[in-house]
Amino acid sequence: MNEIVITKEERTEKLQGMGCKRKRVEDIRFTQGRGNYVDDIKLPGMLFGDFYRSPFAHARIKSLDVSKAKALPGVYAVLTAADLKPLNLHYMPTLAGDVQAVLAEEKVLFQNQEVAFVVAADRYIAADAIELIEAEYEELPVIVDPWQSMAPDAPLLREDIKDKMTGAHGPRKHYNHIFNWQIGDKPGTDDVFARAPVTTKDTFLYHRTHPSPLETCQALASMDKVKGELTLYGTFQAPHVIRTVVSLISGLPEHKIHVIAPDIGGGFGNKVGAYAGYVCAVVASIVLGRPVKWVEDRMENLSTTSFARDYHMTTELAATADGRILGMRCHVLADHGAFDACADPSKWPAGFMNICTGSYDIPVAHLEVDGVYTNKASGGVAYRCSFRVTEAVYAIERAIEVLAQKLGMDSVDLRLKNFIRRDQFPYKAALGWEYDSGDYHMAMDKAMAAVGYRELRAEQAARREAFKRGETREIMGIGVSFFTEIVGAGPSKNCDILGIAMFDSCEIRIHPTGSVIARMGTKSQGQGHETTYAQILATELGIPADDITIEEGNTDTAPYGLGTYGSRSTPTAGAATAMAARKIRAKAQMIAAHLLEVHHNDLEWDVDGFVVKGLPEKRKGMKEIAWASYNQGIPGLEPGLEAVNYYDPPNMTYPFGAYFCVMDIDVDTGVFKIRRFYALDDCGTRINPMIIEGQVHGGLTEAFAVAMGQEIRYDKAGNVMGASFMDFFLPTAVETPHWETDHTVTPSPHHPIGAKGVGESPHVGGVPCFSNAVNDAFAFTGVSHIDMPHDYWRIWQAAERLGLHK
Ligand code: PCD
C-alpha cells in the first residue's frame, strides 16, 4: 500500500510510458559493441558461401567450368544451375508473382548476376575458388533504357517466359512487358483535361537508388539432418514470411524450420525480399550437412540485392485559371530490371502509387503504370517509403510547383487552396484510399510561421534582382513540400503477401513477480522497438517499462506477424500490443475485484492498478494482481496473466507533414548550401518523442542523399556505375545539414492509441522538398523541371544549359 503515498504524476512518471523520452534500451549493447548480428554467430563446422557472378549485363553462357574451383583444397562444393535444376530450385518465386533465377542457367540478364555458389572452409578460400571458375559468354544487345524495352525490335530478355503473354497482373503487351495497371476514372479524367483552362504535363524521373544499410544482407543456414530441422539466421525484416517461403520452396514442414533474425544493422526495405544467397546457403547446408554462412560485400549489396525507385512519371494536372485543381492524370513507366522482384502487397503491382493525388482535394484522377524488363538488377523495394509513396508524393509535389509556376501563383497559396479540409475527413480520395484524419491547414500555417515563409519569398525576390544585376553569383531556392503518407499495411481486405493477410501480433506474459516479456511479429532493424513497445505496455498495464522485455525475430517464440517495413509496426503490432494489454487489464480487473471483495464494475483504473470508485485508498496494484493470478485460485478465472492479440487494422494510417528547405546555389560551381531545413511531422499520438526525432533525422538524411546525389547508374553496356561508396553518395555528418523538427498531433481515429507510423515520413516529404528547392532556385529562368539527383555536377550542367554562365 505504500504506492499510494506518491502522487499520480510521480507514479505515471515512474512507468516511463507513452509520451516520454525514454532512453533507448538497445543502445546499452549497441554502444558497447555487444550487438549480436548474423556475422557474429559462429557455429561449429561452419562453412562459407560466396558467388561467382556475371561480368556482363546480357549474355549467353556458352560454357561454365567449375572443375578447377572444386579441386581447390578447402572447397566443399560448387553449385550451379545444373545442380539446382533437378531440385526445381534454379528459379524461385518472387513476391511480385514472377520467378527469379537463383543461379543463371543459359543466360545472364544483369551485371553481377549470380552464376555459381562456392562453399569453402572460409571466405578467402571461397574467393580464390571463384577466381578459378572458367566461363565463356556470348554478349547480347543490352537494354538499359526502359523507354527502349518495348520497341518492336527490342532484344528479348526473358527467354524463360517468352511465350507467357499473361503475367501475375494480367496480359503483357510485349515480351519485355511485365504488367499494365490502371486505376481511377479514365473517361472522366480525359473529359476534364479536354475542357480545363490550364493544364501541365511533365515527365519526372525518380531515379534508381539503393537502401544500402550499413550491414549488408546475410544468412546462416544450419540443417540438422538427424532431427530433419533447419535453423536459418538472417537479416530478415519479415522472419515469419521467410519461414513460410522456405517451407514452400524446400518442402520442409514449417514447424521444422526455425528462422531467427538477430540484431539487424539497418534494413530500409533491403531486407524484406528473399535472395539467391539465402536459397543457396540453405541448399548447401542441406547437401553438406554443415552450417553455411553467406555474407554479401558492399558491391554485391549495391549491385544485386534489391534497388529502389526507377519510375518515369508523366504527370499532368488540370486546373482553373485561379488555381483550383480539377483533375490529375499520371502514367508511370516502371523499370523493374531483369525479374519482377518488387516487394509490394500482392494485389498492388505498383505499390500504393495511387496515393499520388497527395494532400489535395482532386475530384477526378487516373493512374496507369507499365512495368518493363531491362538488363538491370531486380527489386523495387520500398526504400524508406511505404510501397512507392515517395514516388507518388514526388510526382504530385513537383506537379504542384509546375502548376504554380504556370499560373504565376505562389505554390504555398496553391496548396492552401486545394488542401483537403479538416472537416472532410475521413476523406475518400479519387484513386480509392480513405484518409483517416488530418489537419493540413493547421500544419502548413504552423510551418509557414516557423520559417517566416513570406519574408523568405521577399528575400528571394530581392536576391534574384541582385543576381540579374550581376551583383552575386548565387541563386536562392525555397523548397516546399506537403505530404500525406499511407502506412500500416494493411487491412486484410486490401493487403496480403503470398496470400497471407497483413495483420500483426503481440503476445504478453506477465510473470508472478509482475515483470513482463512481450513478443511481436515485427522486427526492429534499429528503430528502437525494445524501447517503444515497452512504453505502450507500461501505460496500458501500469507496469514500469524497465520491468518489460520486448523480444522479436525468433519465429519459434514470437506470434506470427508480417514483419517491419512500410512503417507498419506501430499501426499494426503497436495496436496489437495495446489490444493484448487491454485483455490483460480486463482480467486484472476481475482479479482485483476478487481481492477487494467488490463487484468489478465498482473498480476504476488508476495509473498502475485498480481502485474502488470513490475510495482511492482501497486499491490493488498490478504487481499484487500478477502475484495473485498465480498464487490463488480465483473463481471463474484461469490462473496466470497472459494474452495474445492478432490485429487486422480497419484502415491504414495517414501521417502527414509540412517541410521547408532554404538553399543557396553557386551557379559557377554547382555547389549548394542548405541554409535551413524545417520538418513538421504529424504521426498522431507520439509514443517516444526522442525516437521520433531520431527517425526524422535519419529519414531526412536519406532524403538528402537520394535527392542530392545518390544513384545506381548504368552505362550503355549495362555496367553498374554506382556499386561502391566511392561512387554511391552516402552522406556522413560532414555533408548532412542541420535539421529543425516540429510537430502537430492529429490522432488516428481507428488506432487503439491513436498512433500513426512515422519511420518513412521524413524521407517521403524530404525528397520532393530538396528537389523543389533546386527547381525553385532555377524557376526564374522559365525552366519547369530539372531531374534528380541534384549533385554539384548536374546542377552546374543545368546552370550551363539555362545560360547562366554567359
Ligand atoms: N514511433 C513513435 N510514435 C509514433 C510512431 C512511431 O514513437 N506515433 C516510433 C516507434 O515506436 C518505432 C519508430 O518510431 O520505434 C518507427 O515506427 P514506425 O513508423 O511504426 O515504423 P517501423 O515499422 O517500426 O519501422 C519501419 C521503418 C521503415 S519501413 C524504414 S525503411 C526505416 C525506418 O523504419 N528503416 C529503419 N527507420 C529506420 N530506422 C533505423 N534505425 N533503421 C532502419 O532500418 Mo521500409 O518499408 O523497410 O523501406
Side-chain angles (χ1 to χ4, degrees):
M1 279 282 168
N2 51 8
E3 292 155 77
I4 206 146
V5 298
I6 62 173
T7 66
K8 221 178 169 115
E9 289 68 33
E10 284 168 326
R11 280 186 287 135
T12 306
E13 207 181 301
K14 253 178 74 182
L15 296 177
Q16 295 200 59
M18 282 190 274
C20 102
K21 296 185 179 180
R22 181 175 190 229
K23 284 198 178 145
R24 290 172 35 115
V25 293
E26 40 276 268
D27 288 353
I28 298 167
R29 62 177 191 280
F30 291 157
T31 54
Q32 298 183 54
R34 292 297 185 88
N36 183 39
Y37 299 90
V38 174
D39 205 27
D40 293 320
I41 301 168
K42 303 201 162 59
L43 300 179
M46 187 171 80
L47 304 174
F48 292 81
D50 202 355
F51 283 109
Y52 162 76
R53 296 175 178 278
S54 161
F56 299 112
H58 193 197
R60 200 167 300 286
I61 304 174
K62 294 181 68 186
S63 68
L64 180 64
D65 182 356
V66 299
S67 56
K68 286 188 188 143
K70 266 189 180 155
L72 187 75
V75 171
Y76 286 75
V78 182
L79 300 178
T80 63
D83 302 305
L84 297 184
K85 208 170 174 178
L87 308 168
N88 210 13
L89 282 177
H90 60 313
Y91 277 93
M92 63 178 177
T94 70
L95 293 176
D98 196 356
V99 291
Q100 173 174 2
V102 174
L103 293 172
E105 196 184 5
E106 284 156 358
K107 245 172 66 156
V108 288
L109 288 164
F110 62 94
Q111 189 179 45
N112 286 355
Q113 187 178 344
E114 300 79 4
V115 178
F117 189 70
V118 173
V119 186
D122 63 42
R123 284 193 77 104
Y124 309 97
I125 299 174
D128 289 344
I130 285 166
E131 296 295 315
L132 297 174
I133 291 179
E134 288 165 356
E136 268 182 290
Y137 297 89
E138 175 197 331
E139 283 187 70
L140 297 169
V142 169
I143 305 177
V144 285
D145 178 0
W147 296 97
Q148 304 301 318
S149 280
M150 291 205 282
D153 57 347
L156 163 68
L157 302 188
R158 291 287 300 278
E159 284 174 5
D160 61 312
I161 53 165
K162 69 172 187 299
D163 300 322
K164 217 178 138 219
M165 289 320 284
T166 304
H169 302 284
R172 306 200 294 141
K173 298 182 207 166
H174 181 279
Y175 45 78
N176 292 331
H177 184 234
I178 309 172
F179 65 84
N180 174 272
W181 182 64
Q182 296 194 33
I183 190 162
D185 175 0
K186 185 166 166 47
T189 309
D190 291 347
D191 189 48
V192 162
F193 273 86
R195 292 183 291 110
V198 183
T199 59
T200 65
K201 180 174 183 174
D202 285 86
T203 298
F204 308 128
L205 168 62
Y206 199 142
H207 58 290
R208 182 175 272 241
T209 179
H210 194 281
S212 59
L214 280 190
E215 180 201 31
T216 58
C217 297
Q218 355 201 310
L220 166 55
S222 178
M223 183 70 195
D224 181 331
K225 288 201 169 178
V226 176
K227 287 187 179 161
E229 295 189 6
L230 173 74
T231 304
L232 179 62
Y233 301 88
T235 48
F236 308 135
Q237 291 183 230
H240 283 97
V241 179
I242 292 286
R243 187 184 68 190
T244 304
V245 170
V246 171
S247 173
L248 291 174
I249 66 181
S250 70
L252 285 169
E254 203 166 352
H255 69 289
K256 298 223 168 187
I257 303 171
H258 315 287
V259 173
I260 300 172
D263 284 330
I264 296 182
F268 310 112
N270 190 206
K271 294 164 179 170
V272 173
Y275 297 124
Y278 306 164
V279 178
C280 289
V282 168
V283 173
S285 180
I286 293 175
V287 172
L288 297 166
R290 307 243 319 233
V292 176
K293 187 185 266 185
W294 168 73
V295 174
E296 252 184 347
D297 68 23
R298 181 59 53 196
M299 284 188 150
E300 292 177 298
N301 180 256
L302 284 169
S303 63
T304 67
T305 43
S306 48
F307 76 94
R309 329 295 187 228
D310 225 342
Y311 260 30
H312 300 247
M313 306 179 288
T314 305
T315 314
E316 298 172 81
L317 285 179
T320 61
D322 63 348
R324 165 85 41 215
I325 302 173
L326 301 170
M328 179 184 195
R329 197 156 56 187
C330 186
H331 177 270
V332 180
L333 180 69
D335 181 344
H336 283 227
F339 306 96
D340 187 8
C342 227
D344 289 314
S346 310
K347 292 187 197 95
W348 304 95
F352 304 153
M353 181 66 200
N354 59 325
I355 191 89
C356 62
T357 53
S359 314
Y360 311 102
D361 184 13
I362 301 183
V364 66
H366 183 253
L367 166 69
E368 179 172 6
V369 185
D370 280 297
V372 294
Y373 292 120
T374 58
N375 291 113
K376 301 179 187 171
S378 58
V381 291
Y383 166 18
R384 212 158 191 154
C385 112
S386 176
F387 313 116
R388 305 291 183 180
V389 181
T390 185
E391 287 91 333
V393 172
Y394 187 69
I396 183 70
E397 288 303 293
R398 281 298 306 129
I400 287 280
E401 292 287 318
V402 172
L403 177 62
Q405 187 184 17
K406 189 155 187 181
L407 293 168
M409 196 170 165
D410 180 89
S411 75
V412 170
D413 291 336
L414 179 61
R415 286 179 173 87
L416 290 168
K417 185 162 192 160
N418 290 284
F419 273 155
I420 300 160
R421 294 185 320 274
R422 188 175 56 180
D423 57 274
Q424 288 176 282
F425 291 93
Y427 173 82
K428 182 94 189 210
L431 295 178
W433 297 114
E434 188 179 285
Y435 298 12
D436 59 349
S437 64
D439 192 336
Y440 301 165
H441 287 97
M442 172 182 69
M444 186 55 114
D445 288 346
K446 188 173 182 189
M448 284 168 75
V451 298
Y453 177 68
R454 304 286 178 203
E455 295 76 14
L456 284 170
R457 284 287 179 211
E459 182 195 339
Q460 183 185 43
R463 299 248 252 140
R464 275 181 181 163
E465 290 314 311
F467 180 82
K468 285 178 191 156
R469 289 194 303 267
E471 291 163 20
T472 172
R473 297 300 290 155
E474 267 190 1
I475 54 176
M476 171 180 168
I478 302 170
V480 185
S481 82
F482 196 98
F483 67 92
T484 299
E485 255 257 76
I486 167 171
V487 303
S492 56
K493 60 178 187 289
N494 297 128
C495 299
D496 70 272
I497 285 184
L498 300 169
I500 306 164
M502 293 180 74
F503 58 84
D504 226 288
S505 60
C506 168
E507 185 218 69
I508 306 169
R509 295 184 180 185
I510 304 195
H511 306 316
T513 55
S515 71
V516 182
I517 182 157
R519 299 181 171 101
M520 291 80 189
T522 47
K523 173 63 203 163
S524 190
Q525 311 121 41
Q527 292 87 344
H529 290 177
E530 287 166 54
T531 308
T532 52
Y533 284 133
Q535 290 181 261
I536 300 176
L537 287 172
T539 299
E540 293 285 340
L541 292 175
I543 293 175
D546 285 344
D547 294 344
I548 303 171
T549 293
I550 301 296
E551 199 184 88
E552 296 176 300
N554 183 336
T555 55
D556 281 347
T557 51
Y560 203 103
L562 277 283
T564 291
Y565 43 83
S567 303
R568 66 186 297 281
S569 304
T570 304
T572 60
T577 301
M579 298 304 272
R582 287 174 195 180
K583 286 190 190 173
I584 289 193
R585 216 158 92 179
K587 184 170 179 185
Q589 185 164 358
M590 307 303 284
I591 298 169
H594 171 80
L595 298 174
L596 291 162
E597 296 178 339
V598 293
H599 190 272
H600 62 264
N601 283 340
D602 294 330
L603 294 177
E604 62 188 4
W605 180 249
D606 175 44
V607 183
D608 49 6
F610 287 96
V611 294
V612 178
K613 287 178 191 161
L615 291 171
E617 69 284 2
K618 288 201 75 180
R619 73 188 313 273
K620 286 289 163 197
M622 275 304 281
K623 292 234 165 182
E624 227 178 314
I625 294 170
W627 182 256
S629 76
Y630 288 93
N631 124 301
Q632 50 186 283
I634 293 163
L637 288 181
E638 289 174 36
L641 207 48
E642 300 186 0
V644 55
N645 181 268
Y646 286 82
Y647 190 80
D648 180 7
N651 191 2
M652 314 260 185
T653 65
Y654 297 78
F656 56 93
Y659 290 5
F660 282 92
C661 171
V662 186
M663 191 186 286
D664 297 308
I665 293 174
D666 182 325
V667 294
D668 294 323
T669 59
V671 171
F672 57 81
K673 284 196 216 83
I674 312 291
R675 207 198 300 173
R676 218 175 152 183
F677 197 103
Y678 168 92
L680 178 147
D681 274 277
D682 191 320
C683 57
T685 305
R686 294 151 60 84
I687 303 161
N688 184 326
M690 182 195 67
I691 288 209
I692 293 174
E693 201 182 350
Q695 288 292 309
V696 173
H697 284 188
L700 289 177
T701 305
E702 287 183 317
F704 170 67
V706 167
M708 305 311 286
Q710 192 170 87
E711 185 186 21
I712 299 290
R713 206 157 29 92
Y714 289 83
D715 71 7
K716 286 205 173 68
N719 295 307
V720 199
M721 308 304 284
S724 85
F725 284 162
M726 297 292 285
D727 306 301
F728 185 82
F729 175 45
L730 197 79
T732 67
V734 177
E735 299 89 1
T736 304
H738 173 75
W739 309 120
E740 294 171 56
T741 58
D742 204 347
H743 65 276
T744 53
V745 177
T746 311
S748 167
H750 61 78
H751 188 280
I753 59 170
K756 303 181 178 186
V758 76
E760 296 163 308
S761 297
H763 192 98
V764 168
V767 172
C769 192
F770 285 112
S771 185
N772 281 347
V774 174
N775 276 284
D776 181 65
F778 286 102
F780 74 98
T781 66
V783 65
S784 70
H785 176 72
I786 302 166
D787 272 327
M788 296 187 289
H790 306 294
D791 53 25
Y792 297 157
W793 165 233
R794 285 184 173 91
I795 290 181
W796 183 89
Q797 283 178 307
E800 173 73 12
R801 222 170 33 241
L802 296 168
L804 299 184
H805 289 156
K806 285 184 284 203

